[in-house]
Amino acid sequence: MSLRSLLLLVVGACVVIFVGVNWAEMSRPAELSLIFGSIQAPLGLALLFIMAALVALFVGLTAYNQGSALMQTRRHARELAAQRELADKAEASRITELRASLEAEIAKLSDAIRQQGQEVMARVDRAEMGLRERPVDEPIGQLVQAVQDHNRQLHARLDRLEMGLGQRMSHLAPPPADGPTANACAP
């Protein structure tokens, strides 16, 4: 129970106790003026009736205000749910568009990679064909020929040097002797 309800209950109980204690005075008849005439009625009961009517009026107004606030809250909740649904649909639409855009970009990149791969393979194939068609043996043959020419030239020089040394050595060496000792020394 809220504090406001408890306060209203206490005030109502105090009014009932007050009326019960003063019932004799409340029910005593008196002449009441109604501006256009007068009547004979108990003043306390008339005031009690007016107070009860005002309480009923305020309770009715409070109920109406709470009911209208509740209806407005429900309407706002429905509008909020509708807006949330629209936002969810818009977000789903954006996600779908983003997914489609990403898939298109991925497809483009895949095509570009595939095309570049094909171009690279074509270049490799052309390079292999070029190597196969080019006479590889010819440059190697030329190198072998050059090495053989240099080798012959070196042998020719060595032969000339040996001949030159042999001639110089024969002038320095004594003539061979004809005897048993000469054969023993000769290899």
Side-chain angles (χ1 to χ4, degrees):
M1 185 181 275
S2 70
L3 183 64
R4 184 175 54 182
S5 299
L6 185 63
L7 181 65
L8 287 175
L9 186 64
V10 169
V11 169
C14 288
V15 169
V16 168
I17 290 172
F18 179 75
V19 169
V21 171
N22 295 308
W23 184 252
E25 283 298 314
M26 293 284 234
S27 59
R28 188 175 55 157
E31 191 165 327
L32 302 175
S33 173
L34 299 176
I35 300 177
F36 52 87
S38 63
I39 60 167
Q40 191 78 15
L43 178 64
L45 290 178
L47 291 175
L48 190 61
F49 176 74
I50 291 171
M51 186 180 76
L54 287 174
V55 166
L57 177 68
F58 285 127
V59 167
L61 286 174
T62 303
Y64 173 76
N65 283 339
Q66 286 184 351
S68 65
L70 182 63
M71 295 300 286
Q72 188 175 11
T73 302
R74 286 183 181 169
R75 190 183 83 234
H76 284 240
R78 282 193 304 266
E79 288 176 2
L80 183 62
Q83 292 299 323
R84 184 177 297 131
E85 186 178 334
L86 284 174
D88 289 344
K89 286 180 182 178
E91 184 177 351
S93 174
R94 283 192 299 266
I95 289 172
T96 304
E97 289 175 6
L98 180 61
R99 179 178 288 137
S101 175
L102 287 175
E103 287 175 356
E105 287 297 320
I106 288 171
K108 285 180 185 178
L109 288 174
S110 296
D111 289 343
I113 289 170
R114 189 177 324 111
Q115 184 179 4
Q116 286 180 352
Q118 289 172 351
E119 288 175 5
V120 167
M121 291 306 293
R123 287 180 185 171
V124 167
D125 289 343
R126 283 194 304 262
E128 284 179 0
M129 293 301 282
L131 286 176
R132 287 181 190 156
E133 291 173 1
R134 195 172 112 197
V136 176
D137 293 338
E138 182 179 323
I140 292 174
Q142 289 174 353
L143 287 173
V144 167
Q145 185 65 35
V147 168
Q148 287 175 352
D149 289 343
H150 285 293
N151 196 13
R152 271 189 234 114
Q153 289 175 1
L154 286 174
H155 280 291
R157 282 185 187 172
L158 281 174
D159 288 341
R160 282 190 302 238
L161 284 174
E162 284 178 1
M163 286 172 58
L165 276 175
Q167 287 175 359
R168 284 186 192 166
M169 294 298 269
S170 63
H171 290 296
L172 295 174
D178 288 299
T181 55
N183 284 339
C185 292

